[in-house]
Amino acid sequence: MAQQAEPTGPVPENAPEHCPGTASKAAGTAEACAGCPNQAECQSAPKGPDPDLAQIADRLRGVKHKLLVLSGKGGVGKSTFSAQLAFALAAKGLLVGLLDIDICGPSIPKMLGLEGEEIHQSSSGWSPVFVEDNLGVMSIGFMLQGADDPVIWRGPRKNGLIKQFLRDVDWGELDYLVIDSPPGTSDEHISVVQYLKTSHVDGAVIVTTPQEVSIIDVRKEINFCKKVGMPVLGVVENMSGLQQSLSSFRFLLPSPDGSVQDVSEHVLQAVQASLPNNQGLIATMDVFHPSGGGAERMATSMGVPFLGRVPLDPHLSRAAERGESALEGSGAKSSSSIALNGIIGSLLSRTSADVTMSNGHHPGPHPAAVNGT
């Protein structure tokens, strides 16, 4: 029996055996494509080398590092992590871009405090919307007339916009481009990998929560990365338990008649009496039970790095709602901020050999911002 040829390009997660690959000339027409849910899309997609790939590579030639933030599961805090990663890198004096390719659920504008902003176009292309001189953002959220307007697009149109973002946005010189993606392993993921294949990508950061229902999908995401040759920089376990100072809790005592009494003051006084030196006392508990061992065990079993855990923290949630960095100001010593700093430091150590931080000093305004955009 003849040996099956290796697929050309990525293979969708739901593809049948012997899929020729989405970049193959036989995509959508091969015998193996019969009955595949992706057949019509693959058949109608352009075949052969994509002439736009050279333009994308040229556009991104000034970007030193490209990081994809992925998760197989929705609702795990991936966009929150992307936003805080961008804030943290910019705070170190680096030139940073944040690209939101979650076409149907663009939350990055709110998390960066940019709601209501619009994209401007110049002779050099689309200009990012700037949070600071050294932090630019691009998202379909800037193109919607209203914050509640849905994006009801089929795959080809979504893929076309992702290509346009990569080809036409004038990022200028960047130390880091962080790309926030939607959940899953389908259209948008396949497209961004294909479009970036002529540009060096450092790798992907995978975000999950501890419970097995999330870990199952994240395993698929890691296998997707392996299939398309995308390095996995590491796994982040988000919402990893609750860690808060004891004084931030309320203690309620239910009565038989159904009423509830707030006994917080009595509890804290009792703790103070029995443990006088309780400054810095932290209460912690698991919120999501890691029945399968959580992200660390999964990462070990799949041979990818584990970057760390970020606990549930109201401070981080408030920062995302307000479009602020959780790593600065009064919350810089919160449990989530400390955890995020450690994870981001680890990512920098893996990727930052050729970036210049000017000993912590701001490297100057972003070139595109200086040009009046």
Side-chain angles (χ1 to χ4, degrees):
M1 184 175 180
Q3 185 176 1
Q4 291 291 330
E6 287 293 320
T8 303
V11 175
E13 184 69 32
N14 57 351
E17 190 178 6
H18 307 315
C19 170
T22 56
S24 169
K25 292 182 179 180
T29 61
E31 183 179 349
C33 300
C36 175
N38 309 294
Q39 183 177 17
E41 184 176 339
C42 289
Q43 192 169 7
S44 62
K47 304 297 188 295
D50 188 339
D52 288 327
L53 296 187
Q55 295 182 42
I56 291 172
D58 184 62
R59 175 67 79 177
L60 298 179
R61 70 187 185 280
V63 180
K64 293 178 182 177
H65 298 283
K66 305 172 195 72
L67 306 178
L68 281 170
V69 181
L70 306 175
S71 179
K73 192 73 173 175
V76 299
K78 173 182 48 55
S79 294
T80 299
F81 180 80
S82 297
Q84 295 304 319
L85 174 60
F87 272 129
L89 293 172
K92 294 179 181 295
L94 301 170
L95 298 174
V96 182
L98 177 55
L99 174 59
D100 180 6
I101 63 167
D102 191 346
I103 306 302
C104 294
S107 53
I108 288 298
K110 180 172 183 61
M111 291 185 177
L112 274 293
L114 297 173
E115 285 184 296
E117 297 289 340
E118 297 180 354
I119 296 172
H120 298 283
Q121 192 165 11
S122 68
S123 58
S124 59
W126 288 349
S127 299
V129 177
F130 285 88
V131 184
E132 301 288 348
D133 287 342
N134 64 327
L135 175 53
V137 181
M138 180 57 66
S139 170
I140 191 177
F142 300 136
M143 303 177 177
L144 303 179
Q145 290 185 345
D148 297 331
D149 290 351
V151 180
I152 309 173
W153 288 5
R154 293 187 182 273
R157 193 174 180 190
K158 292 191 287 185
N159 297 342
L161 182 60
I162 293 171
K163 177 186 283 188
Q164 201 166 2
F165 279 157
L166 294 170
R167 185 191 62 206
D168 295 346
V169 175
D170 181 20
W171 296 105
E173 298 290 327
L174 288 181
D175 291 308
Y176 283 90
L177 177 63
V178 178
I179 302 175
D180 180 43
S181 66
T185 55
S186 56
D187 286 350
E188 292 94 327
H189 299 75
I190 294 171
S191 295
V192 75
V193 169
Q194 287 181 331
Y195 298 152
L196 291 173
K197 67 182 180 182
T198 55
S199 303
H200 171 72
V201 179
D202 291 77
V205 180
I206 312 292
V207 181
T208 183
T209 50
Q211 69 270 46
E212 193 64 18
V213 70
S214 178
I215 297 291
I216 288 171
D217 288 338
V218 169
R219 287 192 184 99
K220 297 174 183 177
E221 193 77 56
I222 293 173
N223 283 327
F224 168 83
C225 290
K226 291 179 177 179
K227 286 182 179 180
V228 301
M230 174 68 63
V232 176
L233 296 173
V235 176
V236 175
E237 185 177 276
N238 198 24
M239 307 182 197
S240 184
L242 179 67
Q243 296 179 23
Q244 291 290 295
S245 65
L246 194 64
S247 60
S248 67
F249 282 89
R250 291 179 62 207
F251 298 89
L252 306 177
L253 181 64
S255 299
D257 62 1
S259 62
V260 177
Q261 181 183 3
D262 189 332
V263 295
S264 303
E265 185 176 349
H266 298 290
V267 170
L268 293 176
Q269 287 175 352
V271 172
Q272 178 65 30
S274 61
L275 190 64
N277 298 319
N278 64 19
Q279 290 82 2
L281 186 63
I282 297 292
T284 180
M285 65 174 292
D286 287 334
V287 177
F288 302 116
H289 178 58
S291 60
E296 185 171 14
R297 180 179 293 181
M298 182 269 296
T300 300
S301 68
M302 299 193 75
V304 297
F306 179 67
L307 295 174
R309 299 176 176 86
V310 181
L312 282 166
D313 185 353
H315 166 69
L316 180 57
S317 175
R318 285 193 297 269
E321 288 289 315
R322 296 171 180 170
E324 301 171 348
S325 171
L327 308 179
E328 299 179 346
S330 59
K333 294 184 179 180
S334 68
S335 57
S336 61
S337 297
I338 293 170
L340 281 168
N341 265 320
I343 291 168
I344 291 166
S346 180
L347 279 174
L348 269 173
S349 68
R350 294 169 185 266
T351 62
S352 63
D354 58 347
V355 299
T356 302
M357 286 188 272
S358 303
N359 295 322
H361 296 296
H362 196 292
H366 190 286
V370 174
N371 290 334
T373 57

